[in-house]
Amino acid sequence: MNKLIIEPSPHIRSKNTTDKIMMRVLIALAPALAMSVYIFGIRALYLSIVCMGSCIIFESLFRRFVRKDFSIDPSPAVTGLLLAFCLPVTLPYYIAIIGCFVAIVVVKQLFGGLGQNFANPAVVARIVLMLSFTSQMTYWVSPFWYRDDVDTITSATPLAVEAGEQLPGLWDLLMGFHSGSFGETSIIALLIGFVFLLMTRVIRVVTPVAFVGTVALGAFIAGENVGLHVLSGGLILGAVYMATDYSTTPVSMSGKFVFGVGCGIITLAIRFFSDMPEGVSYAILIMNILTYYIDKITFPRPFGMVREPSVFFRKKKEEETKDV
């Protein structure tokens, strides 16, 4: 006799399991990883492996420590690879491991594990490392630095180039032949993964388009270089692979649009009015915190349900009833 299984709604089943979705994200990130190894050397691969392995180990140890079941799944590997993509290729391994601890243990597991975290673990870990190890996190090397005889050749990222200095051309921006975090430079590789995620229906196009479109429109209105703001920094990486996280972004299409526009506005505000050249990570974190409220406003009302009045109007109506 089959057991009666009672579960909360919704009861619609899908063949897209969490493991399949995470594996597709890893596949989508593969072209960017290959380009980063070509541009910044084999150390980009080593740093990625260290981050992925550390995240898997930290998740396994924590779940064993709290006596929870642990089955190897690709989610910590995705977190580790995304975090690695946000790091300079010369970053010491121990700093990257600290970031993995923050991402998996502090941001993910302490809040209940997969699907329960309030913010994207890789985003928070990058911010923590940026605030704690600023000099190491802003030490950028030139493309193909590993081919030269000198130890390192440093250069500014495109967004940090000062007036009078030569900016990289459109081809260099698209291919990734400029300084920056090794996983965010090659726009072509990131867009190949973006198309793959759309074709496999892992993500929706709403948030990335709203995010990038807001930055492009804002840069145009401000008279800035639109191509520079869109094709450099962590905008494409953040918009496609971090701002589309299931558990930390709104559910409805209108909510996803609001989320993307909010990320774009905050990114522009940080780029224009702060000393930091980049603001994608901070923008995503702030909007992650606001996701609950965006869902409350934009989530579609079920047919036949009357939306409850606010506490203020409910109390006012009770007082009027008493007076009568």
Side-chain angles (χ1 to χ4, degrees):
M1 180 177 179
N2 296 329
K3 293 183 179 180
L4 179 63
I5 300 175
I6 302 176
E7 295 181 351
S9 60
H11 302 292
I12 299 176
R13 297 289 181 179
S14 173
K15 295 181 180 179
N16 287 334
T17 63
T18 302
D19 289 356
K20 288 182 179 179
I21 291 172
M22 293 299 171
M23 282 301 302
R24 287 169 182 170
V25 175
L26 287 175
I27 294 172
L29 290 170
L33 178 59
M35 282 298 297
S36 67
V37 174
Y38 170 67
I39 297 170
F40 295 103
I42 194 65
R43 199 176 192 281
L45 178 61
Y46 294 159
L47 192 57
S48 299
I49 293 174
V50 167
C51 288
M52 294 169 68
S54 298
C55 286
I56 294 173
I57 292 172
F58 282 135
E59 180 155 321
S60 174
L61 292 177
F62 182 86
R63 294 188 68 84
R64 289 181 184 276
F65 177 75
V66 296
R67 297 181 179 178
K68 288 186 177 181
D69 294 334
F70 175 77
S71 58
I72 297 177
D73 65 85
S75 63
V78 171
T79 299
L81 188 55
L82 286 175
L83 175 58
F85 276 14
C86 298
L87 305 177
V89 71
T90 57
L91 189 75
Y93 293 125
Y94 77 92
I95 296 180
I97 294 173
I98 292 174
C100 295
F101 176 85
V102 173
I104 295 298
V105 177
V106 178
V107 182
K108 183 180 178 182
Q109 292 300 327
L110 288 181
F111 285 90
L114 182 63
Q116 304 298 320
N117 45 292
F118 76 98
N120 187 286
V123 167
V124 178
R126 183 186 187 276
I127 293 174
V128 170
L129 293 183
M130 180 66 72
L131 296 175
S132 304
F133 306 95
T134 306
S135 60
Q136 294 93 332
M137 286 289 292
T138 54
Y139 188 82
W140 313 111
V141 295
S142 300
F144 309 109
W145 63 278
Y146 59 93
R147 297 179 181 178
D148 297 292
D149 295 332
V150 295
D151 292 336
T152 55
I153 302 176
T154 60
S155 62
T157 61
L159 289 174
V161 171
E162 298 180 357
E165 296 183 5
Q166 185 177 1
L167 292 171
L170 179 61
W171 176 254
D172 292 336
L173 288 173
L174 287 172
M175 295 303 295
F177 301 149
H178 59 82
S179 299
S181 300
F182 69 82
E184 69 184 19
T185 59
S186 181
I187 304 302
I188 290 293
L190 293 173
L191 290 180
I192 292 174
F194 175 51
V195 172
F196 173 77
L197 292 179
L198 289 178
M199 292 178 61
T200 54
R201 298 184 179 182
V202 173
I203 64 173
R204 301 292 184 92
V205 73
V206 179
T207 300
V209 170
F211 195 167
V212 176
T214 301
V215 172
L217 180 62
F220 176 77
I221 294 174
E224 297 283 339
N225 188 325
V226 177
L228 182 67
H229 279 276
V230 171
L231 300 178
S232 60
L235 180 61
I236 301 300
L237 177 65
V240 175
Y241 299 95
M242 296 179 177
T244 55
D245 182 24
Y246 288 0
S247 60
T248 60
T249 55
V251 177
S252 66
M253 290 297 105
S254 57
K256 294 179 186 297
F257 178 78
V258 172
F259 185 91
V261 172
C263 286
I265 293 174
I266 297 172
T267 299
L268 287 173
I270 293 175
R271 287 183 177 182
F272 290 165
F273 304 111
S274 74
D275 294 332
M276 297 181 295
E278 182 59 296
V280 171
S281 296
Y282 296 94
I284 295 175
L285 174 58
I286 293 172
M287 294 307 295
N288 283 162
I289 297 172
L290 297 177
T291 292
Y292 171 79
Y293 303 100
I294 296 174
D295 270 334
K296 290 281 286 185
I297 297 172
T298 61
F299 196 79
R301 178 171 56 89
F303 180 76
M305 178 178 289
V306 179
R307 198 180 296 275
E308 293 185 2
S310 64
V311 176
F312 173 78
F313 289 105
R314 191 163 59 244
K315 288 184 178 180
K316 187 175 181 182
K317 187 174 181 179
E318 291 177 355
E319 292 175 358
E320 291 177 351
T321 306
K322 289 181 180 178
D323 292 338
V324 175

